[in-house]
Amino acid sequence: MKQLKSICLLLMLALVPLQLMANEQKEEGEALNIPEIVLEHLADAYEWHITTIGGKHIGFELPIIIRSGETGEWHFCTAHSLPDGFFFNEEAHGKIYERMADGTVERPIDLSITRNVLQIWIVVALLLAVFLSCARWYKKHDKTDNAPRGFIGAMEMLVMMINDDVIKSSIGEKHYRPYAPYLLTVFFFIFFTNLLGLLPIFPGGSNVTGNINITFFLALCTFLAVNLFGNREYWKDIFWPDVPLFLKAIPIMPAIELFGVFTKPFALMIRLFANMMAGHAMILAFTCVIFLGWTMGTAMGTGLNLFSAIMLLFMNALELLVAFVQAYVFTMLSAVFIGLAHKEHEH
């Protein structure tokens, strides 16, 4: 019974923001535009829109920091007080552009605190709070005390699983320690970000790991960790692999191996980005279908709404699993790539 109540509560929370948006469009006489609603929720923004009630937007503006390419002057403003010459370019996903004196349009230097940036800060603050509280518990207890229980015990189990079963086993006993802090940080950052992204209202709901700029940066960190600290055997396998001499002389195999240096982090970037963005889009689409069913007849609308509600619950449960799996897979593949860069010489 408690599980059923929890499921119903989660469904209600997931429906609230989109229901209000659907009601607003209905009041204005507009048709429910599902692609527009989905893309709006997936895109980054210069303000955090929470909901709309009676045509009034509820949320808060975020600071915009831009540098004019025309005058070189820095501007500090909000979305509703852009300086003259600046505008939101809808063709470029709502990014700020500047109209120059000669009529051309250019992208200024933009250091604004967008919704995704604020979401990252929230995740960082949450991680600090979690791990500092764990550190305080261990500071007050020694290794002879009983194992921690509750939340501290769950975090210890998760850290040990990732450290021992993923990082240590993939990189090796001799080399894993310098990389463990980075890989554990990556895992918990992706995991917590994915979980917050499933919350429909502030402080969650932002599509951070579904933003290719974020996954690009994470993949770039793994790329640097692999290639800056790879040993001689790693680079020998790339430029002078153990293949027949004519394949080295052409050179076919070195070119293929060098190409693989860049395709591995590229695969990390695309895998995380595509899975998280697709999951959010599916949840939003099924939610919108429920409100679309309200505009139909009773018989068709009831059947469509029931199907959409079941699929919405299924997708939310699946996304909870995906939130963990994608963090696990990214960390595991990063550890595997780092382990390959520390191969021992085979006699």
Side-chain angles (χ1 to χ4, degrees):
M1 191 66 182
K2 290 182 178 180
Q3 288 80 358
L4 181 60
K5 290 180 179 179
S6 300
I7 291 174
C8 293
L9 179 60
L10 287 174
L11 180 60
M12 291 170 61
L13 286 174
L15 294 177
V16 165
L18 290 177
Q19 181 180 6
L20 293 171
M21 182 179 295
N23 289 340
E24 179 192 4
Q25 290 191 351
K26 187 175 180 181
E27 290 173 2
E28 296 174 355
E30 300 177 5
L32 188 62
N33 192 333
I34 294 179
E36 180 183 343
I37 293 175
V38 172
L39 292 176
E40 181 182 342
H41 277 72
L42 292 178
D44 199 4
Y46 294 95
E47 58 182 354
W48 200 303
H49 176 262
I50 298 175
T51 188
T52 302
I53 300 178
K56 182 179 181 182
H57 296 287
I58 298 176
F60 53 91
E61 297 181 340
L62 297 171
I64 293 177
I65 307 170
I66 47 178
R67 182 180 183 273
S68 172
E70 185 81 25
T71 63
E73 182 182 357
W74 286 95
H75 298 277
F76 300 86
C77 56
T78 63
H80 292 88
S81 60
L82 280 180
D84 293 337
F86 294 92
F87 66 97
F88 294 105
N89 191 342
E90 297 301 330
E91 296 180 357
H93 308 289
K95 297 297 183 182
I96 295 177
Y97 276 72
E98 181 181 9
R99 197 177 302 280
M100 313 301 285
D102 58 1
T104 59
V105 173
E106 294 185 3
R107 180 92 162 93
I109 297 177
D110 190 350
L111 302 180
S112 305
I113 311 301
T114 63
R115 185 172 62 184
N116 282 347
V117 173
L118 181 58
Q119 181 78 91
I120 291 173
W121 289 0
I122 293 172
V123 171
V124 171
L126 183 60
L127 287 174
L128 286 173
V130 167
F131 287 106
L132 287 177
S133 64
C134 292
R136 282 196 298 270
W137 188 94
Y138 285 104
K139 193 173 182 180
K140 296 177 181 178
H141 300 78
D142 56 43
K143 60 183 180 180
T144 60
D145 293 338
N146 294 329
R149 298 180 180 180
F151 179 76
I152 305 295
M155 293 301 300
E156 180 182 290
M157 179 193 67
L158 201 53
V159 169
M160 290 180 64
M161 181 189 72
I162 299 300
N163 185 73
D164 297 342
D165 298 340
V166 177
I167 300 173
K168 186 188 294 186
S169 62
S170 299
I171 300 178
E173 181 74 29
K174 293 175 60 177
H175 305 289
Y176 85 94
R177 292 185 182 276
Y179 301 100
Y182 161 68
L183 292 172
L184 284 168
T185 301
V186 165
F187 171 80
F188 282 103
F189 173 78
I190 296 175
F191 184 43
F192 277 54
T193 302
N194 291 347
L195 290 179
L196 270 184
L198 293 176
L199 294 177
I201 56 176
F202 183 82
S206 185
N207 186 36
V208 174
T209 46
N211 186 314
I212 200 166
N213 296 308
I214 305 300
T215 59
F216 169 78
F217 178 76
L218 294 173
L220 178 64
C221 291
T222 296
F223 173 80
L224 295 176
V226 170
N227 295 284
L228 289 181
F229 306 107
N231 61 13
R232 292 177 56 187
E233 289 299 317
Y234 169 70
W235 292 109
K236 176 181 175 297
D237 285 345
I238 294 175
F239 293 107
W240 199 254
D242 293 329
V243 295
L245 185 60
F246 74 92
L247 291 177
K248 300 177 183 179
I250 295 177
I252 296 178
M253 290 304 296
I256 294 174
E257 292 292 336
L258 184 61
F259 184 68
V261 170
F262 300 95
T263 56
K264 291 173 183 176
F266 179 79
L268 283 178
M269 174 185 71
I270 295 299
R271 177 183 286 106
L272 180 60
F273 159 72
N275 279 282
M276 298 314 302
M277 186 184 69
H280 284 285
M282 289 294 292
I283 290 175
L284 291 169
F286 279 120
T287 306
C288 289
V289 169
I290 293 176
F291 303 112
L292 183 63
W294 291 348
T295 63
M296 300 181 177
T298 304
M300 182 178 292
T302 301
L304 184 60
N305 286 348
L306 180 60
F307 170 77
S308 299
I310 293 173
M311 290 302 299
L312 179 61
L313 288 174
F314 171 76
M315 287 302 301
N316 273 282
L318 184 61
E319 280 298 295
L320 286 174
L321 177 63
V322 170
F324 172 80
V325 169
Q326 289 304 315
Y328 183 90
V329 169
F330 191 98
T331 307
M332 180 186 68
L333 291 179
S334 296
V336 168
F337 297 155
I338 293 173
L340 292 174
H342 292 277
K343 290 175 61 177
E344 299 295 335
H345 180 69
E346 297 179 3
H347 298 282

